Every structure is written in C-alpha cells, then in structure tokens.
Amino acid sequence: MFSACLKAIAQPVLADIENHPFVRGIQAGAVPAAALMVYVEQDTCFLDAFAKVYAGALSKCTTKDQMRFFEEQIRYTLNDEAGAHQILCDIAGQKLSDHQHAEQRPITYLI
C-alpha cells in the first residue's frame, strides 16, 4: 500500500524528531522556561499562518464535505494544537496572553 510505503520512508525523520534534544528536554522537564516561551511564541506564529492557509483552501472548496474538512482543520489548529501552549506556559509559570503576539523570527519563516 502507498500509505505504508510513505510511513516506512518517514520513519527515520520521525525518529530524528523524537530524539531531538528539545523534544527530549520537554519529556524530561529539563527545558528552560525562556526556551519554552520562544517555542510557544514561534509556534503561535506558525499555527496562525497555517490556519490562514486552511482558510484559503476552504474558500476554494466546492462541496460541503471539503468545507467541513478544512473547518475541522482550522478549529483543530486554533484550539487543540494551540492548547499545548497553555500547558507549556503553566510549566514555565508564564501567562499565555503575554506570548501570543510575538514577532515572527526569521528562522520561523523557513519552517
């Protein structure tokens, strides 16, 4: 199957992500609060852009099923995925609202 082939090809990349020092640090609770806040700020920029891409795709849909798919993706991006930011802010003892309007860093544009 095509999807099984893609999953097999992606395994080394997924392993690299899972073993990245930042990801390992989060798992171990060993990432400094300042680094968590930079992540939250830049991921917020990324997710906002991603939601706008989905909104653009939604405007091009021709069926209700297509519209529902992109509506669900927008909701997930804005609510569920961004909900992890609140958890990281709680861990860092920070208020999420203080970190939702940061300027996007040049490296974030490359992602």
Side-chain angles (χ1 to χ4, degrees):
M1 295 199 146
F2 180 66
S3 61
C5 181
L6 290 177
K7 286 179 184 178
I9 292 169
Q11 285 308 310
V13 173
L14 293 173
D16 286 347
I17 291 169
E18 292 170 356
N19 291 310
H20 190 277
F22 187 79
V23 173
R24 291 286 185 185
I26 288 174
Q27 290 172 335
V31 176
L36 288 176
M37 293 305 89
V38 168
Y39 172 79
V40 166
E41 291 171 356
Q42 295 309 296
D43 196 46
T44 296
C45 294
F46 174 78
L47 291 176
D48 288 351
F50 216 67
K52 290 175 185 177
V53 168
Y54 281 140
L58 180 101
S59 73
K60 307 248 185 246
C61 291
T62 58
T63 69
K64 294 276 189 201
D65 285 341
Q66 292 170 343
M67 290 180 206
R68 283 185 195 97
F69 172 80
F70 285 109
E71 180 271 334
E72 183 179 302
Q73 298 309 307
I74 292 168
R75 188 172 0 101
Y76 179 79
T77 300
L78 294 176
N79 298 319
D80 299 339
E81 229 182 291
H85 295 165
Q86 182 61 58
I87 294 167
L88 294 174
C89 285
D90 290 346
I91 291 168
Q94 299 284 317
K95 290 173 29 177
L96 179 58
S97 60
D98 292 343
H99 299 277
Q100 290 184 310
H101 305 289
E103 187 172 322
Q104 189 171 359
R105 293 180 177 200
I107 191 70
T108 306
Y109 285 108
L110 299 175
I111 298 176

